Amino acid sequence: MRNDGLFLNALIIHYMSDEKDFSKIIQSEAYHHTKLFPKRDYVIVRGEGALLYDQNENSYIDCVAGHGVMNIGHSHPKYIEAIEEQLKKLVMVPPGYPVEERSKLLEKLAEITPKPLDQSFLSNSGTESVEAAIKLALVSGRNKKNPEIIAFKRDFHGRSLGALAATFNMRYRKPFMSWLSPHVKFASFGNIDSVKELINENTVAVLTELVQGEGGVYPSEKDYPKELRELCDEKNLLLIDDEVQTGFGRTGKMFAYEHYGIIPDIVCMAKGIAGGLPMGATISSEDLWNNFQVSEHNTTFGGNPLVCAAANATIEIMLEEHLVENSAKMGAMLINNFQEIAQDNDNIREVRGSGLMIGIEFKKPVKDRIQQAVDLGVLFLNAGMTVIRLLPPLIVNDDHVEKIISVMRKIAT
Ligand SMILES: Cc1ncc(COP(=O)(O)O)c(C=O)c1O
């Protein structure tokens, strides 16, 4: 028979002690979260700078960075302070009510992008920033009966039905094909002739990543974006640049278009913009946004004061700490060393990248190599089956880079 007094004491001690049942956390996630996410068998309990810590205080260099989100690293004191202050003051008012934090952010976005990009729609994710861009292109082509957009093979733009229509991977598209717009055509990335072949009287825009991320980390060849810009000008098409993954210093410039000397008509941003809180932004010119009538597009949460305060702090930290420059420097060090590793390694097909957006393509699936790296204290991401992708925080230093290289050398053999 159970002694209720003892049982109660044990229960109180259990709840008073700080000890957590980590296996229960893992089980609970495995059961109550949808099966859409393959789960790890460790629990991340905190992050500090470029490091994550698990339940046993094992530390990992975080080359996943929330899928390229944590550009300023984890737990930056200035970021925490900005959010705490804002939390006490004001969390939410809808976009129709002017607030200081939003106005500051809108100005900042206009400052870090060239003219005529100076009006933004603030949303909550990369997918939403792409949806807004697609809709902006469509309302700008209202005079066309069946407006078409050209995207690219290997492109990833999100998983909602509009963005998915412009995403190439059949694994993501297949179950939803009957709902995906047939008005998106796919050209070959980097091949200007294949874009020309798809242009017709209904084409309104070209939507592209300048460095394809999810598709395997493929930077554009040097002159190709300029050719694309010129073609869009010649044919009166909008150039939509999806900088969701490449933006905010990831490629060694604030935005990838800066590498190529072009100004897109519409730029989609998200991931790194708000230091980890969800935010998307679609920036374009006043002329283009004027093609929308009031309420033809809207959002409840987009651009709320809390996330705007987070984004303001994030951009300030990036500029004050020269994180874009650090991304270029550390990225070059990693890429050079990986290329050296690849030289006498038959398992590696190619090393590609720009700044701290790096892909190492192996000849065989990389799943086991990524697991091996976890055991050695580095978290890597994949891009497809055969590419190990690195999107570390832009704050990584020489010591982190040295360890990443030594782990890559071990798992590549
Ligand atoms: C280039 C690009 N566009 C859009 C998206 C979708 O962003 P989100 O997952 O924030 O909706 C992603 C996400 O990985 C991306 O890499």
Side-chain angles (χ1 to χ4, degrees):
M1 219 170 78
R2 194 176 72 178
N3 180 328
D4 274 346
L6 279 181
F7 177 73
L8 204 62
N9 275 346
L11 209 62
I12 289 167
I13 289 165
H14 175 79
Y15 281 106
M16 280 174 61
S17 73
D18 213 15
E19 217 173 89
K20 290 199 180 78
D21 186 347
F22 289 104
S23 62
K24 187 163 177 296
I25 293 172
I26 293 169
Q27 278 167 24
S28 174
E29 282 235 11
Y31 181 73
H32 291 293
H33 214 175
T34 68
K35 298 288 174 289
L36 290 166
F37 313 98
K39 294 283 180 183
R40 308 318 192 256
D41 59 1
Y42 47 92
V43 179
I44 299 297
V45 293
R46 67 194 165 85
E48 261 176 47
L51 301 181
L52 287 175
Y53 291 83
D54 72 10
Q55 75 270 29
N56 299 317
E57 275 301 297
N58 297 313
S59 70
Y60 306 91
I61 300 181
D62 183 14
C63 294
V64 174
H67 291 193
V69 168
M70 304 305 293
N71 293 11
I72 60 166
H74 299 273
S75 312
H76 194 293
K78 180 171 175 168
Y79 179 73
I80 293 171
E81 195 189 325
I83 294 174
E84 275 179 354
E85 286 304 306
Q86 190 59 41
L87 199 55
K88 288 185 220 150
K89 211 163 64 175
L90 182 66
V91 170
M92 170 69 193
V93 285
Y97 297 79
V99 285
E100 187 185 356
E101 296 70 28
R102 190 186 302 113
S103 74
K104 255 172 93 175
L105 177 62
L106 292 167
E107 278 172 23
K108 272 200 174 80
L109 293 177
E111 269 164 30
I112 60 172
T113 51
K115 286 230 165 299
L117 306 175
D118 62 0
Q119 289 195 353
S120 299
F121 178 84
L122 302 176
S123 56
N124 311 286
S125 67
T127 303
E128 284 174 74
S129 75
V130 171
E131 288 286 342
I134 291 174
K135 287 173 83 174
L136 179 53
L138 295 182
V139 293
S140 305
R142 274 184 214 266
N143 55 337
K144 313 222 171 171
K145 200 155 162 243
N146 283 313
E148 285 184 6
I149 288 177
I150 297 172
F152 291 89
K153 293 174 186 168
R154 285 197 314 243
D155 262 7
F156 183 85
H157 297 293
R159 288 181 165 92
S160 63
L161 292 170
L164 186 61
T167 289
F168 186 70
N169 192 329
M170 206 30 108
R171 244 182 75 217
Y172 308 145
R173 293 168 64 86
K174 207 166 168 215
F176 314 106
M177 282 305 277
S178 63
W179 276 51
L180 299 183
S181 172
H183 303 300
V184 180
K185 303 283 191 285
F186 292 97
S188 298
F189 185 73
N191 181 339
I192 202 74
D193 289 333
S194 79
V195 185
K196 286 181 189 164
E197 279 164 23
L198 292 178
I199 296 174
N200 61 44
E201 70 282 3
N202 286 318
T203 313
V204 291
V206 174
L207 165 60
T208 189
E209 298 172 83
L210 290 173
V211 182
Q212 290 183 312
E214 166 89 23
V217 189
Y218 289 90
S220 291
E221 296 287 331
K222 195 171 170 293
D223 296 328
Y224 160 74
K226 242 192 188 130
E227 290 171 4
L228 204 53
R229 176 69 273 181
E230 282 163 11
L231 182 62
C232 288
D233 289 342
E234 186 193 320
K235 302 286 182 184
N236 202 17
L237 308 178
L238 299 176
L239 180 59
I240 308 172
D241 174 15
D242 181 346
E243 297 258 4
V244 167
Q245 193 163 145
T246 50
F248 295 93
R250 174 56 56 197
T251 69
K253 297 272 187 196
M254 186 57 99
F255 295 102
Y257 60 73
E258 295 171 31
H259 288 290
Y260 304 103
I262 60 161
I263 301 176
D265 298 297
I266 307 172
V267 179
C268 305
M269 312 170 181
K271 289 200 189 280
I273 188 171
L277 287 187
M279 172 174 260
T282 312
I283 192 162
S284 186
S285 61
E286 183 186 6
D287 276 357
L288 278 183
W289 284 115
N290 283 346
N291 290 318
F292 264 122
Q293 304 297 318
V294 170
S295 295
E296 281 183 339
H297 195 54
N298 209 333
T299 168
T300 296
F301 292 115
N304 67 70
L306 182 66
V307 80
C308 285
N312 285 326
T314 302
I315 296 170
E316 279 162 25
I317 291 165
M318 289 198 63
L319 297 175
E320 281 163 15
E321 299 186 5
H322 308 288
L323 297 188
V324 180
E325 293 81 351
N326 196 53
S327 168
K329 187 172 156 213
M330 295 298 154
M333 252 158 86
L334 282 169
I335 292 172
N336 289 342
N337 276 278
F338 291 158
Q339 273 163 350
E340 220 174 279
I341 294 172
Q343 258 170 21
D344 37 39
N345 184 318
D346 242 14
N347 301 320
I348 299 176
R349 197 184 295 281
E350 195 176 28
V351 176
R352 300 183 287 268
S354 181
L356 286 170
M357 182 168 175
I358 302 171
I360 297 152
E361 184 174 348
F362 285 76
K363 293 180 182 159
K364 296 206 174 128
V366 290
K367 198 168 165 232
D368 291 346
R369 294 185 202 277
I370 289 177
Q371 181 52 47
Q372 226 184 315
V374 175
D375 300 333
L376 296 168
V378 179
L379 303 185
F380 290 129
L381 187 62
N382 68 309
M385 301 285 279
T386 55
V387 176
I388 294 185
R389 183 169 33 149
L390 287 83
L391 302 170
L394 310 187
I395 57 165
V396 283
N397 59 27
D398 290 340
D399 292 343
H400 300 128
V401 164
E402 203 177 299
K403 172 150 185 191
I404 294 167
I405 293 165
S406 91
V407 168
M408 184 59 74
R409 188 168 278 120
K410 282 188 192 130
I411 66 165
T413 52

